[in-house]
């Protein structure tokens, strides 16, 4: 695994660049990512390029022995681009323009913007595509950051109509697939269809699902347009993109199909603070991060990446600026996060950013250097991690144990129709992941159509649409299986299947779901050592009760090697379901301390401890 850093030469005097490059190398860094926000300096006036400074920056970094990951600057179109095409900005859900003055102010469907993005990508790739110092490209920056995948602009509406016509062929077919007879929502032509925002009450969930798919496809198409240019002008270099944490606005599996390496940006403390963790965990892990946050994404993105190649393109080095509260990591955490990425198979960890910038939006965001260029604490930790990596050598392949099935449309569907507040396919996956990991089990988060051979157990936490491939793979699979609530409960257009849930998996679980209810917090079914809630599927069939509450309600059914979890997969309930399944799959069920996780590769068994106090290890002989 290589180490790198995100660097913005345009922020610093040119006389400083060589010293920065030297210090990067001295720290053990071999990669540097540049350029992704530099459009206004590359092309200060329309059509007039200023390459001089970037040529010198590239040459300086290259001369120091750093491999450059060049970003395409399309996330930050300068003001003159917007002034020439004011309608290129996205409109938010309330129809308001997303103005200039930060970043990502473009609509993916705007043809003029898309042409500009391809033009600037071509210009940068023509200039540096064959430069010996450029080893890889990053397209744009964090598609979807600041909630920017969906746009409700006229350009998006027109493109959506075309997308619908291509998908459904006739408007009659669309009306039938969506059930538009309900509330007289039938359309007479594709041109009559609006975007699903601004309706009086909720729009048809089928309409929303189509719009989510369309919005995702627009991201993929914009990215592909850049990738094609980069392939043509920069042969032999990897193309990557940096995905985000707990972000599902587009289908990352589709994006990854066009990339060589899938990257993601790891901010463990920011994510803990901003996402759905208990206040107790937010306090307890405030300076280390929840022990599953980074690992979940490592395993998720490894599973989306073509050929399994993935990296951390941004790694939190200290306090960030964007969470509600922004503590500093405990001493040692930056090193730990780096090594954990290695244990999960990353090929690069790149710290964000080299030096804290004293101005503008991210002036409170730490770097490896302070604003005055003196070392921040993370610099020494990066150096220590570089030494650890060198000492460990090849860590070897990950050992296959559990597969966890996750799809982006599943999360879109639970967002569109939660039915119970907080019921989310993404968080169901996270809780199942966490339950498996607390038993020390390696988890691969896989696409629904991924082969399942070689795993001891498979968990499908919540997957409303089940493909024929998954149904066949699960039927052929010899290991233990857990199927979670809502799985198989919808078709491609959000309709309930003719013979009810779980549709294609009915035989697998030996029955069907006749009624689903959701429960508010506090409404629970309690059994021995576990408490279930959130959701309750009424099962009818030939499976045996596996977990029965004191009041007689069956919360988990067992049909041969398959369990059906009828309640929401969270807390002590899913821990129990997973523990039973792991036991049946032959694992020793000994929970780790809740601050500890392990990762087993062909050569090593790594232990990572997220405790906020020093832990002393005794070496056993
Ligand atoms: C990421 C983004 C970076 C920077 C960073 C701050 O989301 O890609 O450009 O803003 O966050 O933590």
């Amino acid at each position: 695994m290589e180490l790198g850093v995100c660097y913005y030469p345009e922020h610093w005097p040119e006389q400083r660049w060589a010293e920065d490059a030297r210090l990067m190398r001295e720290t053990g860094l071999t990669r540097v990512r540049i350029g992704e926000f530099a459009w206004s300096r590359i092309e200060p006036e329309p059509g007039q390029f200023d390459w001089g400074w970037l040529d010198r920056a590239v040459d300086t970094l290259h001369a120091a022995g750093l491999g450059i990951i060049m970003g395409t600057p399309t996330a930050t179109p300068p003001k003159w681009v917007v002034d020439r095409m004011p309608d290129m900005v996205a409109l938010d859900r309330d129809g308001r323009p997303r103005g200039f003055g930060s970043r990502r102010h473009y609509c993916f469907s705007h043809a003029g913007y898309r042409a500009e993005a391809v033009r600037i990508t071509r210009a940068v790739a023509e200039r540096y595509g064959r430069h010996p110092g450029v080893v890889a490209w990053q397209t744009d920056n964090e598609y979807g950051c600041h909630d920017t995948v969906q746009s409700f602009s006229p350009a998006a509406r027109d493109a959506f109509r075309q997308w619908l016509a291509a998908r459904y062929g006739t408007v009659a077919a669309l009306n039938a697939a969506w059930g538009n007879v309900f509330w007289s929502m039938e359309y007479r032509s594709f041109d009559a269809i609006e975007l699903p925002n601004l309706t009086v009450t909720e729009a048809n969930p089928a309409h929303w699902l189509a719009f989510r798919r369309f919005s995702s496809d627009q991201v993929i198409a914009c990215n592909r347009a850049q990738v094609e240019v980069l392939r043509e002008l920069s042969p032999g270099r990897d193309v990557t993109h940096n995905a985000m944490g707990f972000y599902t606005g587009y289908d990352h599996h589709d994006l990854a199909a066009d990339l060589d390496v899938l990257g993601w940006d790891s901010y463990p403390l920011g994510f803990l603070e901003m996402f759905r963790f208990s206040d107790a965990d937010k306090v307890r892990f405030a300076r280390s991060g929840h022990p599953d946050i980074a690992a979940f994404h490592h395993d998720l993105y490894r599973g989306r990446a073509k050929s399994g190649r993935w990296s951390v393109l941004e790694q939190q080095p200290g306090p960030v600026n964007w969470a509600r509260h922004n503590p500093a990591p405990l001493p040692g955490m930056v090193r730990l996060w780096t090594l954990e990425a290695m244990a999960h198979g990353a090929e690069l960890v790149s710290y964000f950013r080299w030096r804290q910038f004293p101005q503008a939006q991210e002036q409170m965001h730490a770097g490896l250097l302070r604003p005055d260029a003196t070392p921040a604490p993370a610099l020494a930790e990066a150096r220590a991690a570089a030494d650890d990596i060198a000492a460990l050598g090849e860590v070897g392949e990950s050992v296959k144990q559990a597969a966890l099935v996750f799809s982006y449309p599943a999360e879109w569907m639970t967002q569109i129709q939660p039915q119970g507040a907080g019921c989310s396919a993404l968080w169901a996956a996270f809780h199942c992941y966490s339950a498996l990991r607390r038993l020390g089990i390696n988890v691969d988060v896989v696409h629904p159509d991924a082969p399942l051979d070689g795993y001891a157990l498979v968990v499908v936490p919540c997957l409303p649409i089940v493909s024929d491939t998954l149904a066949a793979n699960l039927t052929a699979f010899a290991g233990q299986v857990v199927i979670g609530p809502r799985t198989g409960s919808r078709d491609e257009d959000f309709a309930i299947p003719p013979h009810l849930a779980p549709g294609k998996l009915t035989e697998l679980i030996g029955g069907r779901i006749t009624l689903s209810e959701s429960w508010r917090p506090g409404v629970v079914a309690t059994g021995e050592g576990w408490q279930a809630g959130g959701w309750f599927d009424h099962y009818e069939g030939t499976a045996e009760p596996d977990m029965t509450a004191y009041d007689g309600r069956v919360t988990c059914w067992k049909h041969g090697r398959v369990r059906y979890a009828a309640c929401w997969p969270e807390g002590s309930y899913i821990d129990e379901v997973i523990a039973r399944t792991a036991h049946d799959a032959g694992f020793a069920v000994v929970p780790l301390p809740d601050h500890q996780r392990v990762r087993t590769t062909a050569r090593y068994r790594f232990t990572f401890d997220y405790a906020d106090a020093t832990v002393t290890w005794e070496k056993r002989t």
Side-chain angles (χ1 to χ4, degrees), residues 37 103 141-142 145 242 265 267 314 320 322 352 362 365:
F37 299 127
R103 60 179 171 182
N141 188 76
E142 290 192 342
C145 186
N242 52 340
D265 296 345
Y267 292 93
E314 297 180 14
V320 299
W322 45 263
F352 184 94
E362 293 180 357
H365 195 297

Side-chain angles (χ1 to χ4, degrees), residues 482-617:
V482 177
I483 304 291
R486 305 181 79 160
T487 299
S489 64
R490 292 294 182 275
D491 74 4
E492 288 284 335
D493 291 292
F494 227 113
I496 295 170
H499 303 291
L500 307 184
K504 292 171 191 162
L505 301 184
T506 303
E507 267 183 46
L508 194 76
I509 71 160
R512 59 190 196 144
I513 305 307
T514 54
L515 177 73
S516 293
E517 42 177 318
S518 59
W519 297 347
R520 64 168 300 110
V523 178
V524 292
T526 307
E528 188 157 353
W530 52 265
Q531 195 168 64
W535 190 271
F536 185 59
D537 276 339
H538 296 237
Y539 171 92
E540 190 181 274
T542 57
E544 299 289 322
D546 188 48
M547 286 164 59
T548 306
Y550 295 131
D551 65 8
R553 276 181 293 195
V554 179
T555 62
C556 182
W557 296 88
K558 187 144 194 270
H559 186 245
R561 59 197 170 73
V562 179
R563 282 185 169 78
Y564 188 83
C567 292
W568 201 251
E570 265 187 42
S572 57
Y573 167 70
I574 197 61
D575 286 348
E576 178 69 19
V577 174
I578 296 288
R580 287 167 182 242
T581 308
H583 173 265
D584 292 351
F587 291 96
V589 179
V590 185
L592 294 164
D594 68 351
H595 46 85
Q596 234 176 60
R597 299 292 187 269
V598 300
R599 174 78 184 164
T600 312
T601 69
R603 287 199 60 202
Y604 292 109
R605 187 165 166 87
F606 293 92
T607 299
F608 295 97
D609 204 307
Y610 279 72
D612 56 3
T614 303
V615 176
T616 308
W617 287 83

Side-chain angles (χ1 to χ4, degrees), residues 256-379:
D258 290 324
L259 303 172
D260 302 295
V261 183
L262 182 58
W264 84 280
D265 296 345
S266 180
Y267 292 93
L269 305 192
F271 296 151
L272 173 73
E273 180 57 39
M274 296 307 281
F275 289 100
R276 289 170 46 172
F277 295 91
S278 67
D279 283 344
D281 277 354
K282 286 186 183 187
V283 171
R284 169 129 188 260
F285 295 119
R287 298 181 67 202
S288 57
H290 183 286
D292 292 313
I293 290 181
F296 174 71
H297 292 92
H298 297 333
D299 293 340
L300 169 69
Y301 291 127
R302 192 181 59 250
R304 309 297 114 177
K306 200 169 64 180
S307 325
R309 293 184 59 199
W310 66 281
S311 56
V312 175
L313 282 168
E314 297 180 14
Q315 171 64 62
Q316 176 166 3
V320 299
N321 62 298
W322 45 263
R324 273 184 297 259
H325 306 282
N326 299 290
L330 287 170
M333 284 317 296
V334 172
R335 180 179 175 196
L336 182 152
W337 294 330
T338 306
L339 296 178
E340 192 170 40
M342 179 189 66
H344 286 253
E347 47 185 73
L348 166 73
V349 170
S350 170
Y351 301 98
F352 184 94
R353 62 181 55 227
W354 175 244
R355 179 169 165 190
Q356 184 173 348
F357 189 57
Q359 293 169 293
Q361 281 92 331
E362 293 180 357
Q363 58 184 200
M364 292 299 287
H365 195 297
L368 298 186
L369 300 188
R370 299 190 184 104
D372 67 353
T374 56
L379 190 74

Side-chain angles (χ1 to χ4, degrees), residues 90-98 152-153 197-198:
L91 299 191
D92 73 9
R93 204 169 158 144
D94 295 324
R96 294 173 307 189
R98 307 204 68 185
F152 299 88
S153 67
N197 62 326
L198 303 179

